Amino acid sequence: MSQPKKLFIKTYGCQMNVYDSERMAEAMGGQGYVQTDTADDADMILLNTCHIREKAAEKVYSELGRFRPLKEAKPDLKIGVAGCVAQAEGAEIVARQPLVDIVVGPQSYHRLPELEAKAASGAKALDTEFPEEDKFNHLARRPKAARGPTAFLTVQEGCDKFCAFCVVPYTRGAEVSRPADQVLREARDLVERGVKEITLLGQNVNAYHGHDGGLAGLIWALNDVDGLERIRFTTSHPNDMDDALIDAHGTCEKLMPYLHLPVQSGSDRILKRMNRKHSAESYIRLIERIRAARPDILISGDFIVGFPEETDQDFADTMALIRTVNYGQAFSFKYSTRPGTPAAERVQVDEAAKDARLQELQALLKDQQRTVQNAMVGKTVHVLFEKPGRETGQMVGKSEYLHAVHVTASDVLPGDLRPVLIVASNSNSLTGELVT
Ligand code: SAH
Ligand code: SF4
Ligand code: F3S
């Protein structure tokens, strides 16, 4: 038998790219490729890229440059760029970096095997169409191999919201939802392979409409899947948090008490300029309703500082919103100008002001996260164990609030879901003891 060919995939960006990388590896598995974790011995290298901020996009080119010696040593090596930079820049990528053989967008990677064959014949293989057909109908079912206890499952793609700063509606296209029966089948397949927790993914996941009951309807259907213990979803837009979804947070046992609900800014003036279509006040009221349904829910958010025309007062409004909401987790970014988006044309905030604001905002968010995490000490949480920790005899898993929890115990296996008493709060994780 001939040696299997080796595929190295490097993934940037959001969880949806993590999911796509798995599916691309599976698609190439059908072509005799096995995954390798180093580029050095690969027959094919795929960078699954992110275009959300300038830094993320530029990283791709420096990474590609590093593959030159590999390509020189092995002329058959195929180098592909997938994901959102591929979608945004298309043929420009090959023009800028001729080492690249394949460019494939996030909606057309089911065609990767054909593109690889084309590249093998010596031609450049580009596909950044938004195809008529649904890639999910063209991908094989998930392979039978056993898996770890957690998995991502993309249920919705694309975005119709057009926030003024964001490239996603251009790189991922219009909002599309996968039919619920297709999602449920994939979920059952994953559970059969050992998965206990599924995180439903979408750029705008709570706009999901592949089930009559929307995302809440899908969550309730998943709640009935035997063997599935936990359900999460990300990322949500405040305007798509409907009553049924809020209610599910209080009533659906498998739905975890953690919600990532980005607000971006606390200034109504800026929110309007961002085309967010909600106010700071409506967001705060929404959080109150969610907390009324599930008082212990951990709220997570995204923030952009230095959006064009943001003043000190606008920034102060964001700080005030953060103080009101009290976040248990947060991601914050300096505004990055993205080509083709409306905000790119506007008066930019200077870099020093952006830096100062980011520091101040992150200090507050860090403080809140720390306080929320420290408050877990003395509580009993439920931990889904994933893997051994760094120290011998230690296992690590996640609580329902998505905190990493370390436990020293000899009888715990990956996939076990156990009650744990939290005894200490460390810099990035909690320490606990099994409750027996
Ligand atoms: N669909 C999700 C996430 C989109 S991208 C949502 O609507 O929340 C993830 C985060 O990146 C965004 O929430 C935003 O905070 C940040 N982001 C997007 N575009 C950006 C830009 N041009 N500059 C800086 N941060 C950006
Ligand atoms: Fe981007 Fe806004 Fe869509 Fe989120 S909702 S993906 S920030 S355009
Ligand atoms: Fe990046 Fe595309 Fe995700 S731009 S954040 S990889 S949707």
Side-chain angles (χ1 to χ4, degrees):
M1 246 178 73
S2 64
Q3 285 279 72
K5 288 179 280 183
K6 290 186 179 159
L7 169 65
F8 172 70
I9 305 190
K10 187 158 179 179
T11 307
Y12 304 84
C14 62
Q15 292 105 322
M16 301 197 63
N17 266 9
V18 175
Y19 175 84
D20 290 341
S21 289
E22 270 184 29
R23 301 299 310 250
M24 288 193 277
E26 290 167 13
M28 294 315 291
Q31 308 298 305
Y33 276 88
V34 296
Q35 256 183 290
T36 168
D37 48 18
T38 140
D40 300 343
D41 63 351
D43 300 288
M44 179 170 177
I45 295 173
L46 260 186
L47 298 184
N48 194 8
T49 60
C50 175
H51 201 245
I52 203 82
R53 284 168 289 274
E54 190 180 356
K55 250 197 213 138
E58 282 305 311
K59 235 191 277 177
V60 175
Y61 290 98
S62 53
E63 189 74 31
L64 284 170
R66 266 183 250 147
F67 298 141
R68 181 176 304 282
L70 295 177
K71 183 96 168 178
E72 278 163 6
K74 191 195 273 186
D76 281 351
L77 170 66
K78 287 172 210 71
I79 299 180
V81 177
C84 291
V85 176
Q87 191 60 48
E89 298 184 2
E92 276 171 52
I93 297 175
V94 182
R96 192 165 153 191
Q97 180 46 275
L99 286 176
V100 172
D101 305 291
I102 299 168
V103 177
V104 61
Q107 303 309 353
S108 38
Y109 65 71
H110 55 296
R111 297 182 185 155
L112 199 51
E114 297 151 47
L115 296 169
E116 189 256 5
K118 186 171 176 193
S121 75
K124 299 287 183 196
L126 271 62
D127 192 342
T128 53
E129 297 285 301
F130 287 132
E132 285 292 310
E133 79 266 18
D134 175 359
K135 67 173 177 264
F136 293 109
N137 289 329
H138 292 262
L139 293 165
R141 275 178 82 165
R142 311 303 305 266
K144 294 260 185 262
R147 310 181 44 117
T150 64
F152 293 134
L153 204 178
T154 294
V155 301
Q156 182 278 334
E157 294 207 70
C159 183
D160 297 340
K161 294 270 191 287
F162 290 93
C163 298
F165 49 81
C166 183
V167 293
V168 170
Y170 312 97
T171 62
R172 294 276 174 164
E175 274 179 17
V176 191
S177 295
R178 294 177 69 187
D181 55 351
Q182 197 190 77
V183 172
L184 284 163
R185 190 178 76 175
E186 188 170 334
R188 286 192 201 98
D189 281 355
L190 290 168
V191 169
E192 245 171 58
R193 274 131 231 189
V195 170
K196 299 273 175 65
E197 172 183 298
I198 291 181
T199 303
L200 304 174
L201 299 181
Q203 267 87 24
N204 197 1
V205 73
N206 56 345
Y208 177 79
H209 55 263
H211 187 287
D212 291 344
L215 185 64
L218 179 68
I219 289 169
W220 280 110
L222 283 163
N223 198 53
D224 289 337
V225 173
D226 286 337
L228 179 64
E229 308 275 0
R230 291 178 155 188
I231 305 163
R232 302 179 185 278
F233 63 90
T234 197
T235 295
S236 300
H237 191 285
N239 291 0
D240 292 312
M241 281 307 290
D242 62 19
D243 293 348
L245 191 55
I246 295 173
D247 185 63
H249 276 287
T251 51
C252 182
E253 207 183 310
K254 292 183 184 175
L255 183 59
M256 290 295 105
Y258 180 104
L259 179 65
H260 183 58
L261 197 62
V263 66
Q264 314 298 354
S265 167
S267 152
D268 285 343
R269 203 179 68 87
I270 293 298
L271 287 169
K272 207 171 182 104
R273 304 289 289 145
M274 285 177 163
N275 193 31
R276 289 289 291 182
K277 298 197 170 77
H278 60 74
S279 65
E281 183 64 20
S282 69
Y283 177 85
I284 290 166
R285 293 284 91 85
L286 178 60
I287 298 285
E288 281 170 1
R289 288 177 56 213
I290 296 162
R291 283 193 168 132
R294 181 77 203 227
D296 62 337
I297 198 164
L298 189 146
I299 300 292
S300 159
D302 286 347
F303 301 89
I304 295 178
V305 299
F307 185 77
E309 300 154 29
E310 185 187 69
T311 61
D312 286 340
Q313 182 56 51
D314 295 319
F315 176 66
D317 292 347
T318 301
M319 294 292 281
L321 176 138
I322 294 172
R323 284 192 196 93
T324 305
V325 172
N326 192 28
Y327 288 88
Q329 177 64 269
F331 305 88
S332 47
F333 315 95
K334 281 194 283 179
Y335 169 72
S336 168
T337 311
R338 305 313 291 129
T341 60
E345 313 296 323
R346 302 187 191 152
V347 179
Q348 304 294 317
V349 172
D350 76 67
E351 213 47 36
K354 282 189 197 175
D355 281 327
R357 287 175 194 170
L358 187 68
Q359 265 197 19
E360 206 181 321
L361 178 118
Q362 287 187 337
L364 173 61
L365 288 168
K366 203 172 160 202
D367 198 47
Q368 292 190 343
Q369 288 166 54
R370 178 122 288 281
T371 308
V372 170
Q373 189 187 296
N374 291 349
M376 292 289 155
V377 176
K379 291 201 169 116
T380 298
V381 296
H382 291 82
V383 177
L384 177 60
F385 287 97
E386 292 174 25
K387 55 181 184 214
R390 263 195 220 125
E391 290 163 32
T392 36
Q394 208 180 47
M395 286 290 290
V396 193
K398 296 275 166 61
S399 77
E400 44 277 70
Y401 310 100
L402 221 47
H403 287 124
V405 181
H406 290 76
V407 165
T408 303
S410 56
D411 62 338
V412 176
L413 295 170
D416 286 356
L417 182 60
R418 305 274 290 265
V420 170
L421 172 69
I422 300 302
V423 296
S425 176
N426 322 308
S427 55
N428 286 314
S429 68
L430 296 164
T431 304
E433 290 166 1
L434 287 183
V435 177
T436 44

